[in-house]
């Protein structure tokens, strides 16, 4: 009978990030286990490992933890361990899950720039290195567009439960409108939206807000609902389990780092706006996005906004600097990326479903937009 490995999971399930990691770990166990898991007990049992000795006494074959506390002692005890949280400084000999924080900041900036805003902001947490990394990448991308973003990141001494919201309200009132703001994560974005209500600032009309993590519970609790950057954390959980399995087998793992990368933006009400002064062009942008699954042409967009094709094309390029056809292709590429990661459809099926007859052409355009071929993109981000 196959030996069942005993694995401790110290990963919280109260947020989507932790739940997604657990989903990826569970998928690996189904395929290559089974593993026997010990994870956090329900709060009402008041039972958990209180000490390193209790962990060792349980005789686990391995651990995946979210806290670096005791990690070095676990390593020195001979228990294979993976830290499933990105920490600022690596611990020697312990594999670590790292977030692509610069990538998150860049993709947020690129998305908000596409909405046509001319003012941008970042709402972060000064004492969190990952927030600072996201801020710097966001600022760099916005700077490259010729704009200086407004940054809100109070020092640790300034923040308390009451003072933080007061500072947020003051900042929101002080920044120019309309403005598009990236928050360092969904929790911070939620705080920003609540402060905007007190400041009597309309979302998304006066301020569009974008979070990170795509925690659907938090996003839907917000009003208006929160747009957020989706991460490949399910895949990261799977790769963490694979890496731990290699260590438990006494093998040298292929890597000591798992990257949590941004997949794309899930659009909800908080960014459901195009800050374009030309109303017909704003309507055209919304029509293209809402019909990205359909085989729409420039003529369909022109008919929807009651303009001639030529008038639409001239006004579209004047407002945005690129053509209607380019925007349709970009939206279809974003939809293709979703289908690659969320379905088992073949690349040819996806291309045909989105109205592309030339698979080589769409693959080339996809790589230009996403930096990877469709197949490589699926391999990196999908669990399918």
């Amino acid at each position: 009978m196959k030996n069942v490995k005993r694995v401790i999971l110290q990963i919280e399930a109260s947020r989507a990030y932790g739940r997604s990691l657990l989903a990826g770990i569970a998928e690996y166990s189904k395929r290559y286990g089974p593993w026997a898991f010990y994870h956090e007990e329900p709060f009402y049992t008041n039972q958990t490992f209180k000490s390193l000795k209790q962990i060792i006494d349980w005789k686990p074959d391995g651990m995946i933890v979210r806290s670096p506390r005791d990690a070095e002692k676990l390593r020195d005890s001979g228990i294979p361990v993976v830290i499933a949280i990105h920490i600022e400084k690596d611990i020697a000999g312990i594999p670590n899950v790292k977030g692509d924080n610069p990538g998150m900041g860049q993709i947020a900036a690129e998305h908000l720039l596409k909405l046509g805003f001319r003012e941008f902001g970042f709402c972060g947490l000064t004492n969190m290195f990952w927030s600072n990394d996201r801020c710097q990448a966001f600022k760099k991308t916005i700077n490259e567009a010729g704009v200086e973003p407004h940054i809100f990141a109070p020092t640790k001494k300034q923040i308390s439960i009451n003072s933080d919201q007061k500072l947020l309200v003051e900042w929101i009132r002080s920044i120019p409108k309309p403005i598009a703001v990236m928050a360092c994560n969904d929790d911070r974005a939620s705080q920003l939206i609540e402060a905007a209500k007190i400041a009597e600032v309309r979302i998304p009309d006066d301020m569009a807000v974008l979070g990170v993590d795509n925690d659907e519970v938090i996003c839907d609790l917000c009003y208006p609902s929160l747009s957020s950057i989706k991460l490949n954390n399910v895949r990261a959980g799977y790769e963490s389990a694979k890496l731990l399995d290699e260590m438990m087998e006494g093998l040298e793992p292929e890597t000591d780092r798992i990257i949590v990368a941004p997949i794309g933006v899930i659009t909800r009400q908080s960014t459901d706006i195009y800050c374009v002064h030309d109303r017909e062009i704003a309507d055209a942008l919304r029509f293209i996005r809402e019909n990205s699954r359909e085989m729409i042409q420039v003529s369909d967009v022109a008919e929807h906004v009651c303009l001639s094709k030529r008038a639409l094309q001239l006004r579209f390029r004047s407002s945005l600097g690129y053509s209607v056809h380019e925007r349709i292709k970009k939206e279809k590429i974003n939809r293709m990326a979703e289908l690659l990661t969320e379905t088992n459809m073949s690349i040819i099926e996806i291309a045909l479903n989105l109205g592309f007859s030339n698979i080589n052409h769409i693959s080339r355009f996809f790589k230009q937009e996403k930096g990877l071929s469709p197949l490589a993109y699926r391999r990196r981000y999908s669990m399918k």
Side-chain angles (χ1 to χ4, degrees), residues 265-278:
V265 174
I266 305 300
T267 302
R268 299 183 181 89
Q269 293 172 317
S270 70
T271 60
D272 189 15
I273 189 171
Y274 291 101
C275 195
V276 178
H277 297 295
D278 190 321

Side-chain angles (χ1 to χ4, degrees), residues 172-241:
I172 291 168
R173 285 174 173 162
S174 71
I175 54 181
K177 319 288 188 309
I179 190 169
V181 179
M182 176 193 181
C184 61
N185 63 8
D186 289 342
D187 289 304
R188 198 61 166 151
S190 175
Q191 295 167 352
L192 185 65
I193 287 174
E194 295 308 310
K197 294 174 186 176
I198 297 172
E200 298 183 339
V201 169
R202 299 170 302 164
I203 295 175
D205 305 78
D206 300 322
M207 184 172 72
V209 179
L210 177 64
V212 180
D213 285 336
N214 194 42
D215 189 315
E216 294 184 359
V217 174
I218 295 176
C219 292
D220 290 336
L221 275 174
C222 293
Y223 183 78
S225 58
L226 175 65
S227 297
S228 186
I229 296 174
K230 182 177 181 179
L231 310 177
N232 71 331
N233 35 17
V234 175
R235 182 74 190 187
Y238 183 92
E239 294 295 334
S240 297

